Amino acid sequence: MFQGLQDKFGEILGNLKKRGSLKESDVKEALRQVRIALLEADVALPVVKKLIKDIETKAIGQEILRSISPAQMVIKIVNDHMIEVLGTKSEDINLKTSPPAIILVAGLQGSGKTTTVIKLAHKIKSKMNKKVLVASLDVYRPAAQQQLKILGEQADISSLPIIDGQLPLDIAKRSIKAGALQGTDVIILDTAGRMNVDEALMTELSQIHATVKPIETLLVADSLTGQDAVNIAKAFKERINITGIALTRIDGDARGGAAISMKSVTGCPIKVLGTGEKIDDLENFHPDRIVSRILGMGDVVSLVEKAKETIDEEDAQKLEKKILKGQFDLNDLRDQLRQMKKMGGMSGLMTMLPGISKVKKQMSQSNIDEKMLLHQEAIINSMTPKERIHVKVLNASRKRRIAAGAGVEIQDVNRVLKQYKQMSLVMKKMKKMGKKGKNINPEAINNLIPNQNFFKH
Amino acid sequence: MEWVSKLNNGLNKTASGLSKNLSTVFKGKKLDPQTLEDLEDLLISSDFGVSISKKIVDSISKEKFNDFDTNKVREFLSKKVSEILKLRYLPLNTENNGDPYVILVVGVNGVGKTTTIGKLANNFVKKNKNVLIAAGDTFRAAAIDQLKIWSDRSKSEIITKPTGTDAAALSYEALVTAKEEKKDILIIDTAGRLQNKTDLMNQLEKIPRVLKKIDETSPHSVLLVLDASTGQNAISQVELFNKSCGVTGLIMTKLDGTAKGGVLVSIAERYPIPIHAIGVGEGIDDLQEFEPESYSRALLGLL
């Protein structure tokens, strides 16, 4: 099916090898394939529909990179959007409360709760140096409490002694008492697996939740889960306040669409991944890896990323050549403005530079207008290609036309032109220096830059 | 049928049950493209998978419905589904000329193998069969204790070895015992494993290999247990377990929840492997014989 998908994309690629912006038809065709890919990966249908709708709006009109087909471009947009939906950074288990911090673990039968409990206990104990107590509230499945006890012994993690016949809620209370007595930092409560439609057991779960008031409530979900993921997530979310998801069996060969279904329905981050049968096989969540797996088009995504890098590099080289030749026209100025815009405008640029917060504050006080970049670009856009290359042809009447086209005053046009002149002056001087010696002294460049606020209206 | 009502109970408990959604789909009078698309969506939502959903819906788009109503379209759909499932209808027959009938139970972790074995044993014992269970999950902590409890409940005998013992060796010994004690049926549990773990699958292959040393015809059944909440990955499970140890029958568990196990239809279409039983609850009597027609009707919300 994966192969089929790539072939399909190959077809579209052949038909539509052109640059420009993404048209509605390109986007729709590519998204039809994405829809099937997501459904085959077990992303729940309502979630797929929402994703497709959001991506469609996002993608139409976006610029297509050189050497990339529209379909490939769409895939990249899908990829980035899904990463955004899943949350861009990994979130840790929350233990920020006065001890003992209680973690409640719930889920369907066979989702991997007990294994996750012991792995989590091991991680908290060994990596964070905390005293951990585990307790099983599963009085239903034969030998379930026994299982946690044995796993605890194997991993050197203390578990609450089993008292036959005690009810889940009482076991929970007893574990808190025992934890307090033993100076435990973290208590992890394993619960019985339950069907989301099992009214009695779901009520029991919400009672336990209300009694123990956990700082972290994890829903353990099997990454092999199909369309039912939304129902499961919804039902658990309705009854107990889920704070995170533990996704198990990620070492299987399922595409793991349940991850995005669960995240979309609960809004809760995926906090840990079960990656194997050994006690250390618990990892933090990396959205990009999961997305690449669900979408199954990692190679397309990296292709687009590579193309993007190449283009940025090519553009930079072109500009450098132009500067060295002393040819710097308004097209280049526009490219620079766009580059700045891409990097998040002036304030975005400033946040990227270390130790610049003070300057940033001053800038914001000195009334830097973020829209200015847009205005300047609009002014250059309103020029004819000839005007952009041969600035000298710009007479008063042309300037009036440009100002009207960009919706600004003539003074604004003049300001851009002045800016351009100053910059090309700098370029010319740089060119001379470049001829003299290979190494350009940065200070010398600083001196070249006119002592005037470029970005002030 | 008792299980149909159980299955429907599960379906009825959820607002997104297929039957409920179907009523909305067929509110209109014509099977227009939008209706067909909604229908396809509904099948997809039940884990049928994209391609078979499309196929079934395509077959209905050609059909002429003169003043049809909701039920008529549902009937038609369930007929289509049961046509596919009927191909895989074959109840488990454990007759073996007086020799022990050997059943090997395999599957991914957490699908419900151990519970299913308990219920299977119970069903056999009720039919006056002499059952021996081999606790072959020698990996998971307390799996043996769990199975012991099930053997008590079902009044069948059990053979165990400490955790960590070679499961193939235990299986060999179990078959020797079963023959000596003239058991009718031997059910061998195995540790759950993901089908893409080659080393674990190789270990599994060893079990039928050693059983054949005693009885060339054994194991007589290799049952793959599937979890109804599993999505399209169930297909990969069938594919790879079948490749490794020749699956002869399927059992689908956990049909008492909101999951409908529609992937079974996809599997039935692709693999000539009989479906024997379905699990509809945690009680000892909650393993029912698979019946294509009732299953299809329950899937489509018809009682």
Side-chain angles (χ1 to χ4, degrees):
Chain A
M1 122 86 217
F2 184 22
Q3 191 51 46
L5 205 71
Q6 282 186 333
D7 292 348
K8 198 83 196 157
F9 279 118
E11 263 172 53
I12 306 168
L13 192 142
N15 295 338
L16 298 160
K17 207 155 195 175
K18 60 187 176 218
R19 267 199 90 200
S21 54
L22 285 171
K23 286 189 308 209
E24 199 176 332
S25 56
D26 300 336
V27 173
K28 285 216 158 125
E29 177 54 34
L31 286 184
R32 238 195 303 278
Q33 306 301 324
V34 168
R35 179 179 179 273
I36 296 174
L38 294 180
L39 287 171
E40 294 282 356
D42 290 323
V43 181
L45 186 67
V47 177
V48 172
K49 283 190 166 169
K50 171 132 195 349
L51 281 174
I52 296 286
K53 209 177 127 207
D54 292 347
I55 293 164
E56 197 178 303
T57 340
K58 214 174 185 177
I60 293 171
Q62 278 210 27
E63 203 182 321
I64 306 166
L65 298 173
R66 275 199 297 274
S67 81
I68 292 299
S69 73
Q72 288 170 329
M73 198 66 216
V74 175
I75 301 302
K76 168 75 174 142
I77 295 167
V78 171
N79 180 78
D80 293 353
H81 181 80
M82 283 171 70
I83 290 176
E84 219 178 289
V85 170
L86 277 174
T88 38
K89 60 175 196 301
S90 64
E91 281 189 52
D92 256 331
I93 296 288
N94 182 11
L95 300 174
K96 288 183 198 108
T97 181
S98 56
I102 294 164
I103 304 174
L104 185 67
V105 178
L108 297 188
Q109 289 96 337
S111 52
K113 285 176 297 302
T114 305
T115 309
T116 303
V117 164
I118 218 70
K119 284 179 184 172
L120 197 58
H122 174 72
K123 187 185 166 183
I124 293 170
K125 186 184 174 217
S126 59
K127 298 247 167 79
M128 301 159 118
N129 250 329
K130 305 250 186 205
K131 197 167 177 213
V132 186
L133 174 71
V134 296
S136 169
L137 314 186
D138 185 353
V139 297
Y140 307 100
R141 184 166 62 94
Q145 290 175 286
Q146 195 69 17
Q147 185 186 354
L148 188 67
K149 187 184 157 224
I150 295 170
L151 288 173
E153 280 162 8
Q154 285 169 0
D156 195 22
I157 287 158
S158 43
S159 61
L160 192 72
I162 301 168
I163 296 178
D164 279 335
Q166 197 168 33
L167 293 172
L169 195 60
D170 297 327
I171 302 174
K173 286 179 188 160
R174 182 160 60 90
S175 75
I176 296 173
K177 257 185 217 154
L181 281 174
Q182 296 162 13
T184 302
D185 299 310
V186 181
I187 300 172
I188 309 180
L189 298 175
D190 187 12
T191 62
R194 59 203 74 215
M195 283 295 178
N196 43 330
V197 288
D198 190 325
E199 195 44 47
L201 282 184
M202 290 304 277
T203 305
E204 178 206 274
L205 187 62
S206 64
Q207 276 170 355
I208 293 168
H209 183 270
T211 308
V212 303
K213 297 186 182 64
I215 177 81
E216 189 80 84
T217 305
L218 295 180
L219 175 63
V220 179
D222 186 339
S223 57
L224 313 182
T225 310
Q227 295 288 323
D228 202 37
V230 277
N231 298 326
I232 299 164
K234 225 181 268 169
F236 277 92
K237 178 82 185 167
E238 267 165 23
R239 302 304 282 270
I240 50 172
N241 182 29
I242 305 285
T243 56
I245 293 162
L247 198 64
T248 59
R249 304 206 181 104
I250 203 73
D251 50 326
D253 63 356
R255 303 263 296 276
I260 199 151
S261 305
M262 295 253 173
K263 163 79 205 209
S264 303
V265 170
T266 61
C268 296
I270 295 165
K271 294 208 163 172
V272 285
L273 296 180
T275 56
E277 298 199 23
K278 287 192 286 297
I279 193 148
D280 288 317
D281 294 335
L282 191 75
E283 285 178 18
N284 284 346
F285 175 64
H286 297 280
D288 48 341
R289 288 187 211 159
I290 295 282
V291 167
S292 145
R293 179 183 182 135
I294 295 173
L295 204 54
M297 294 179 222
D299 42 351
V300 175
V301 173
S302 51
L303 181 79
V304 176
E305 272 160 8
K306 191 112 189 268
K308 199 168 170 305
E309 277 166 28
T310 323
I311 286 166
D312 286 350
E313 208 173 292
E314 275 172 18
D315 285 351
Q317 278 172 1
K318 244 189 241 165
L319 184 67
E320 201 183 313
K321 264 187 199 158
K322 276 189 157 181
I323 290 169
L324 287 176
K325 277 187 194 161
Q327 302 168 332
F328 177 77
D329 59 28
L330 283 163
N331 286 317
D332 302 316
L333 180 59
R334 182 173 60 175
D335 283 349
Q336 289 208 316
L337 291 171
R338 281 183 180 163
Q339 203 82 32
M340 278 176 72
K341 206 169 68 185
K342 236 195 276 174
M343 292 164 92
M346 279 309 289
S347 48
L349 263 178
M350 289 298 159
T351 49
M352 281 182 211
L353 304 171
I356 204 116
S357 59
K358 207 172 155 195
V359 184
K360 198 184 162 192
K361 222 182 220 169
Q362 280 173 352
M363 276 179 60
S364 64
Q365 279 162 0
S366 67
N367 195 18
I368 297 275
D369 189 354
E370 282 294 335
K371 274 191 183 154
M372 207 187 49
L373 288 177
L374 287 174
H375 286 168
Q376 291 180 333
E377 196 188 327
I379 290 167
I380 301 176
N381 283 341
S382 298
M383 296 174 185
T384 64
K386 191 181 163 193
E387 287 166 350
R388 281 181 215 141
I389 298 166
H390 307 287
V391 187
K392 277 176 191 151
V393 302
L394 287 170
N395 54 24
S397 110
R398 280 179 190 260
K399 283 180 192 170
R400 260 201 303 280
R401 193 205 78 237
I402 292 163
V408 295
E409 303 293 323
I410 293 194
Q411 292 94 297
D412 296 317
V413 179
N414 283 331
R415 206 171 279 128
V416 170
L417 292 175
K418 193 171 171 193
Q419 193 177 322
Y420 163 72
K421 266 178 208 155
Q422 283 166 344
M423 280 188 86
S424 53
L425 202 73
V426 175
M427 300 297 171
K428 269 180 198 149
K429 284 187 188 166
M430 272 174 73
K431 183 187 153 201
K432 272 186 205 158
M433 288 166 66
K435 270 182 189 165
K436 270 185 213 159
K438 273 177 189 163
N439 294 326
I440 300 174
N441 180 1
E443 252 178 59
I445 296 176
N446 269 337
N447 291 336
L448 290 173
I449 296 175
N451 192 13
Q452 186 198 352
N453 196 343
F454 254 24
F455 300 100
K456 199 168 177 183
H457 255 295
Chain B
M1 278 305 294
E2 192 197 345
W3 73 266
V4 174
S5 66
K6 277 216 176 189
L7 206 58
N8 271 294
N9 273 343
L11 284 168
N12 289 337
K13 276 177 203 158
T14 163
S16 61
L18 192 54
S19 74
K20 198 163 179 182
N21 281 338
L22 271 174
S23 314
T24 9
V25 168
F26 297 127
K27 228 182 246 165
K29 275 281 158 198
K30 256 173 131 183
L31 282 190
D32 53 280
Q34 185 59 49
T35 308
L36 291 170
E37 197 189 310
D38 289 349
L39 200 54
E40 193 184 310
D41 282 357
L42 287 171
L43 296 182
I44 288 170
S45 299
S46 306
D47 286 316
F48 274 66
V50 179
S51 63
I52 195 157
S53 300
K54 211 168 157 41
K55 219 162 147 182
I56 294 173
V57 170
D58 279 352
S59 74
I60 205 170
S61 74
K62 286 170 203 143
E63 207 71 14
K64 293 240 165 64
F65 287 97
N66 297 322
D67 67 33
F68 69 90
D69 59 9
T70 307
N71 268 338
K72 221 167 164 185
V73 181
R74 279 194 211 177
E75 292 281 357
F76 187 83
L77 269 179
S78 93
K79 237 173 76 194
K80 286 274 162 194
V81 172
S82 85
E83 270 168 29
I84 298 168
L85 292 177
K86 263 181 193 160
L87 300 171
R88 310 297 167 231
Y89 173 72
L90 185 69
L92 191 59
N93 179 6
T94 56
E95 276 314 312
N96 193 31
N97 303 321
D99 268 343
Y101 185 89
V102 182
I103 302 173
L104 183 65
V105 180
V106 300
V108 168
N109 326 54
V111 291
K113 283 180 299 301
T114 307
T115 309
T116 301
I117 289 170
K119 295 176 188 171
L120 266 177
N122 181 58
N123 286 358
F124 293 141
V125 170
K126 271 184 168 173
K127 289 182 192 161
N128 292 319
K129 302 277 184 188
N130 223 327
V131 180
L132 178 66
I133 301 172
D137 183 354
T138 50
F139 178 79
R140 182 165 61 90
I144 297 163
D145 301 286
Q146 186 185 350
L147 200 55
K148 266 184 194 160
I149 295 169
W150 275 111
S151 89
D152 285 347
R153 286 183 188 173
S154 61
K155 297 181 184 67
S156 49
E157 275 179 55
I158 186 164
I159 177 166
T160 64
K161 290 262 172 183
T163 304
T165 313
D166 179 33
L170 170 69
S171 305
Y172 185 93
E173 214 181 299
L175 183 50
V176 171
T177 312
K179 277 178 97 85
E180 276 172 11
E181 296 179 7
K182 301 230 174 292
K183 297 285 177 192
D184 299 313
I185 297 167
L186 168 66
I187 311 176
I188 303 169
D189 192 12
T190 62
R193 65 201 76 215
L194 287 164
Q195 72 275 19
N196 62 331
K197 304 249 158 163
T198 320
D199 51 337
L200 294 181
M201 293 305 274
N202 288 342
Q203 273 177 29
L204 183 63
E205 283 162 28
K206 199 177 156 195
I207 298 175
R209 218 162 45 226
V210 301
L211 289 174
K212 282 189 199 315
K213 287 183 184 163
I214 305 169
D215 179 353
E216 185 57 42
T217 59
S218 71
H220 306 92
S221 259
V222 178
L223 298 184
L224 174 65
V225 180
L226 299 169
D227 181 333
S229 69
T230 302
Q232 299 307 300
N233 190 251
I235 298 169
S236 158
Q237 291 174 20
V238 174
E239 172 76 31
L240 294 179
F241 273 101
N242 188 36
K243 210 177 257 174
S244 146
C245 50
V247 173
T248 64
L250 303 174
I251 291 178
M252 180 161 265
T253 61
K254 304 186 197 173
L255 275 161
D256 48 329
T258 43
K260 306 179 196 70
V263 70
L264 209 49
V265 184
S266 257
I267 291 168
E269 206 212 17
R270 284 181 204 213
Y271 300 92
I273 301 174
I275 305 162
H276 293 314
I278 56 170
V280 292
E282 287 188 285
I284 196 158
D285 293 316
D286 288 335
L287 187 76
Q288 312 281 343
E289 195 169 279
F290 174 73
E291 290 180 10
E293 215 156 306
S294 333
Y295 186 80
S296 311
R297 292 178 67 82
L299 253 179
L300 287 151
L302 295 160
L303 275 171

